[in-house]
């Protein structure tokens, strides 16, 4: 099946289409070298590529193909070809706080849904700005001590926080109820369910999209490889992408912000 990897060449932004099938692996090294040469001609320099990728040492299929595609600055998670129309994944180590900040950019007070809030310990990371109303949702209610500490912290930092117990696959809010939805390390929990639910991640993301207002933003910080295939490709669409970030050589986290279009 198609895969994609990282090989740094951030200055290069050519429109490149690559056929990503198992039979294409024999051509990837040559393509990577060609990109490096083109980068030198285009910019006068090129970021050093991983030695394993250029010297012919064994490389996994996942890393091999991701290098060829990410070197162009373009990443595609759809079909058998990565083309220039695909959205870009920036080679940046994702920051949860920065992701939430981008998702919550806007004028005036915003209504924010925090999906998978757990014990509410995330409030102590400074994820929510003053003035917003934050509604935290989780299947399990936090204990009184955690809830009291979190709401006290929120009040001291100028925003409202309340908790609503609920199922993320059946959010009890009307369509278009929130300006922003955020979640961290939550979409991975579908694999941990006692009774597996087919397409659990897609169901949750579809509910998130439903409760967002038109133009509303969803900020995600997850460690599921290729979760953007669900968020962008299956639910929100490529036109929704504000940014997607990943740095697979440093972390298995992928983060991003999309908007409801």
């Amino acid at each position: 099946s198609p895969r994609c990897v990282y090989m740094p060449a951030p200055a290069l932004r050519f429109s490149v289409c690559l056929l990503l099938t198992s039979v294409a692996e024999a051509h990837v090294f040559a393509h990577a070298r060609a990109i490096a040469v083109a980068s030198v001609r285009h910019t006068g320099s090129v970021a050093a590529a991983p030695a394993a990728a250029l010297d012919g040492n064994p490389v996994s299929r996942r890393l091999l193909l991701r290098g060829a595609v990410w070197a162009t600055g373009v990443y595609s998670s759809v079909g058998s070809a990565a083309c220039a129309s695909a959205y870009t994944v920036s080679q940046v180590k994702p920051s949860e706080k920065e992701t939430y900040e981008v998702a919550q950019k806007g004028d005036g007070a915003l209504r924010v849904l925090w999906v998978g809030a757990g014990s509410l310990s995330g409030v102590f990371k400074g994820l929510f700005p003053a003035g917003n109303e934050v509604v935290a949702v989780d299947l399990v209610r936090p204990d009184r001590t955690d809830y009291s500490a979190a709401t006290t912290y929120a009040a001291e930092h100028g925003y409202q926080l309340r908790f609503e117990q609920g199922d993320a696959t059946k959010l009890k809010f009307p369509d278009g109820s929130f300006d922003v939805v955020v979640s961290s390390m939550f979409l991975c929990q579908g694999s941990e369910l006692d009774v597996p639910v087919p397409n659990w991640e897609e169901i949750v993301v579809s509910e998130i999209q439903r409760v967002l207002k038109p133009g509303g933003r969803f900020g995600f910080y997850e460690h599921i490889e290729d979760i953007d295939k669900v968020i962008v490709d299956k639910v929100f669409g490529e036109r929704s992408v504000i940014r997607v970030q990943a740095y697979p050589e440093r972390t298995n986290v992928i983060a991003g912000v999309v908007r409801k279009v």
Side-chain angles (χ1 to χ4, degrees):
S1 62
R3 294 281 184 180
C4 301
V5 197
Y6 162 69
M7 182 181 295
L12 183 62
R13 290 296 181 268
F14 292 154
S15 297
V16 177
C17 288
L18 298 176
L19 180 64
L20 299 183
T21 65
S22 59
V23 297
E25 292 177 16
H27 303 288
V28 172
F29 288 118
H31 182 78
R33 289 181 186 277
I35 287 173
V37 171
S39 181
V40 171
R41 290 175 179 169
H42 184 65
T43 67
S45 63
V46 63
L54 295 182
D55 295 341
N57 294 329
V59 184
S60 72
R61 174 184 294 187
R62 173 176 178 270
L63 291 178
L64 182 67
L65 292 173
R66 181 170 291 171
V69 177
W70 283 29
T72 69
V74 175
Y75 168 81
S76 172
S77 58
V78 189
S80 59
C83 299
S85 61
Y87 57 91
T88 298
V89 177
S90 302
Q91 181 226 322
V92 176
K93 185 177 180 181
S95 161
E96 182 181 21
K97 185 172 182 179
E98 187 179 313
T99 298
Y100 277 47
E101 286 174 353
V102 172
Q104 294 175 91
K105 280 186 177 179
D107 297 328
L110 301 175
R111 193 162 189 244
V112 181
L113 180 64
W114 180 16
V115 178
S119 65
L120 304 178
S121 60
V123 300
F124 305 109
K125 299 178 184 179
L127 299 177
F128 303 103
N132 286 353
E133 175 194 357
V134 180
V135 180
V137 173
D138 203 285
L139 198 59
V140 179
R141 183 178 293 277
D143 64 38
R144 290 183 179 180
T145 300
D146 289 340
Y147 184 68
S148 176
T151 53
T152 298
Y153 179 94
E156 290 173 348
H157 287 77
Y159 65 91
Q160 303 175 52
L161 173 67
R162 65 184 176 86
F163 177 83
E164 294 274 353
Q165 189 170 15
D167 183 348
T169 65
K170 300 175 183 178
L171 293 172
K172 55 188 177 181
F173 308 103
D175 296 359
S177 299
F178 294 92
D179 301 293
V180 178
V181 179
V182 290
S183 71
S184 297
M185 304 303 178
F186 175 69
L187 295 174
C188 59
Q189 296 182 25
S191 61
E192 302 171 2
L193 297 174
D194 294 334
V195 179
V197 177
N199 303 315
W200 184 85
E201 295 88 353
E202 185 176 352
I203 293 170
V204 172
V205 176
S206 295
E207 277 292 278
I208 287 171
Q209 184 196 46
R210 180 185 65 78
V211 301
L212 273 173
K213 296 177 181 178
R217 297 184 175 194
F218 171 41
F220 60 92
Y221 183 83
E222 299 287 343
H223 60 65
I224 302 179
E225 180 185 2
D226 299 335
I227 190 60
D228 54 316
K229 287 184 177 180
V230 175
I231 296 171
V232 178
D233 302 343
K234 293 185 177 181
V235 181
F236 279 86
E238 287 185 7
R239 290 178 56 241
S240 73
V241 175
I242 294 173
R243 75 177 195 182
V244 178
Q245 297 179 326
Y247 202 153
E249 290 190 339
R250 293 189 178 182
T251 177
N252 64 351
V253 172
I254 182 168
V257 180
V258 294
R259 67 182 181 276
K260 184 175 180 177
V261 296

